[in-house]
């Protein structure tokens, strides 16, 4: 998280420009200059992949090699925002973007992320906020790519650190004053993805309130290796439901090593809600989560 009056990095500025127009962000800017070490896709001889932070979402969505090796990453990028935004928005910017909560975005309202003492959404209008209440701030984390990267055990590289997991960078939701745990002046350089598992498949699905150009109410990225009709490997991650992207470990456990059949999928879908603490207005997100998890698991089993 970058405090409002300190230097902020600007790549495409799709989010930053909006905040500056509204007056939420007012500090000095540092423009990021495209360079080979922060742009494009770099494949390792061992099948791993490094994606530069300056790489656009559109480039990730359109890359056939990524779609073949990491289909959940490609599908998440394809579903994000609008074609115009995907053409400009960068991977690093998507991971490090700031809260989309309407109270945070209002320059006249104080909140925890702007130095306030409480979260006005908690007792206010929180219709699109968290269903897993993990800390003082109830705004869901806005990064679709972070949820997908969590499913793939991606690590983040900055100019000062490497090997950072998604939780290392985004936290566990318990600190409501920040959007991430990057140090002041620390810039994301890229992400690294391990070699895909043999025979793995993946699906991504989001539930939204209108057909296009909408933030997800719930989104799920699912990876699996299914052999002899059994889930040999499963990974389920979700966004839109908590202050950070979440792994749905109880749902994973319900199908790991078990038959990919309707009964086990139904149990997993219900267990996706384990640990949920919905707000008065967000209980509907749990119904959406159950349905989306069921859908992606059924697609994995049928593919």
């Amino acid at each position: 998280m970058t405090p409002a009056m300190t230097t902020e990095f600007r790549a495409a500025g799709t989010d930053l420009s909006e905040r500056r127009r509204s007056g939420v962000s007012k500090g000095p800017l540092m423009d990021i200059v495209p360079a080979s070490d922060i742009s494009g896709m770099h494949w390792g001889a061992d099948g791993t992949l490094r994606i530069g932070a300056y790489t656009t979402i559109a480039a990730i969505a359109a890359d056939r090699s990524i779609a073949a090796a990491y289909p959940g990453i490609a599908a998440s990028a394809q579903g994000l925002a609008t074609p115009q935004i995907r053409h400009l928005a960068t991977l690093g910017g998507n991971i490090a973007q700031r809260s989309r909560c309407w109270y945070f975005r209002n320059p006249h309202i104080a909140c925890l992320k702007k130095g306030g003492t409480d979260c006005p959404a908690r007792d206010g209008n929180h219709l699109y906020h968290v269903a897993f209440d993990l800390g003082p701030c109830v705004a869901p984390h806005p990064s679709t790519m972070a949820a997908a990267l969590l499913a793939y055990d991606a690590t983040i590289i900055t100019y000062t650190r490497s090997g950072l997991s998604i939780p290392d960078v985004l936290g566990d939701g318990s600190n409501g004053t920040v959007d991430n745990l990057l140090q002041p002046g620390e810039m994301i350089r890229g992400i690294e993805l391990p070699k895909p598992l043999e025979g793995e498949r993946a699906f991504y699905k989001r539930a939204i309130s209108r057909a296009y150009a909408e933030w997800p109410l719930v989104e799920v990225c699912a990876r699996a290796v299914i052999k002899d009709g059994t889930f040999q490997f499963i990974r389920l991650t979700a966004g839109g439901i908590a202050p950070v992207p979440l792994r749905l470990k109880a749902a994973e456990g319900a199908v790991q090593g078990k038959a990919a059949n309707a009964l086990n999928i139904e149990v997993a879908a219900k267990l996706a809600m384990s640990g949920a603490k919905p707000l008065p207005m967000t209980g509907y997100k749990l119904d959406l989560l159950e349905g989306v998890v069921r859908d992606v698991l059924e697609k994995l089993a049928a593919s």
Side-chain angles (χ1 to χ4, degrees):
M1 171 258 199
T2 306
M5 294 306 292
T6 59
T7 299
E8 293 190 85
F9 297 117
R10 178 170 59 187
T14 54
D15 177 28
L16 180 59
S17 297
E18 176 187 333
R19 297 200 313 270
R20 292 181 74 84
R21 282 195 300 270
S22 69
V24 171
S25 291
K26 302 176 182 179
L29 297 176
M30 179 180 293
D31 286 312
I32 301 172
V33 178
S36 60
D37 67 326
I38 59 170
S39 301
M41 277 69 78
H42 306 272
W43 293 88
D46 58 353
T48 60
L49 172 63
R50 179 168 61 84
I51 307 177
Y54 202 85
T55 306
T56 67
I57 300 301
I60 295 169
D63 191 280
R64 293 183 179 181
S65 295
I66 291 180
Y70 308 101
I73 299 289
S76 297
Q78 290 165 3
L80 192 157
T82 65
Q84 294 87 346
I85 291 175
R86 291 195 294 270
H87 182 71
L88 294 172
T90 64
L91 176 59
N94 185 268
I95 296 170
Q97 67 184 295
R98 303 212 59 190
S99 174
R100 294 287 171 173
C101 174
W102 40 57
Y103 293 103
F104 171 78
R105 295 281 163 164
N106 188 324
H108 306 295
I109 297 177
C111 78
L112 291 168
K113 287 183 168 59
K114 295 186 290 185
T117 59
D118 60 11
C119 174
R122 183 174 290 279
D123 295 320
N125 186 344
H126 51 252
L127 181 63
Y128 296 153
H129 288 57
V130 303
F132 287 70
D133 188 359
L134 305 180
C137 174
V138 298
H141 197 276
S143 177
T144 288
M145 297 309 298
L149 292 169
L150 179 63
Y152 282 88
D153 296 318
T155 55
I156 292 176
I157 315 158
T158 73
Y159 276 96
T160 55
R161 295 185 288 170
S162 62
L164 300 171
S165 68
I166 297 299
D168 287 339
V169 172
L170 299 183
D172 61 4
S174 62
N175 186 344
T177 67
V178 297
D179 293 293
N180 57 63
L181 301 181
L182 295 172
Q183 300 300 313
E186 186 177 17
M187 189 179 84
I188 297 174
R189 184 180 177 186
I191 65 95
E192 293 183 332
L193 289 160
K195 180 181 178 180
L197 300 174
E198 183 178 353
E200 76 167 83
R201 59 191 81 168
F203 280 99
Y204 166 80
K205 184 173 183 178
R206 57 171 46 194
I208 55 179
S209 58
R210 60 183 181 183
Y212 300 103
E214 186 61 279
W215 297 99
L217 301 171
V218 171
E219 58 186 343
V220 173
C221 185
R223 297 171 61 206
V225 175
I226 300 176
K227 187 176 181 180
D228 298 327
T230 300
F231 281 100
Q232 302 292 329
F233 171 86
I234 182 69
R235 185 61 52 84
L236 293 164
T237 58
I241 58 172
V244 293
L246 290 183
R247 263 190 71 183
L248 305 176
K249 294 183 179 181
E252 292 173 358
V255 293
Q256 175 66 48
K258 298 181 180 179
N261 59 33
L263 177 60
N264 290 330
I265 288 173
E266 184 65 27
V267 172
K270 293 187 179 301
L271 286 175
M273 298 179 285
S274 297
K277 298 179 185 177
L279 303 172
M281 300 171 69
T282 62
Y284 73 95
K285 285 197 172 189
L286 299 182
D287 293 331
L288 292 176
L289 178 63
E290 179 182 350
V292 172
V293 168
R294 182 187 300 109
D295 286 350
V296 295
L297 288 176
E298 288 176 348
K299 288 181 178 178
L300 286 169
S303 62

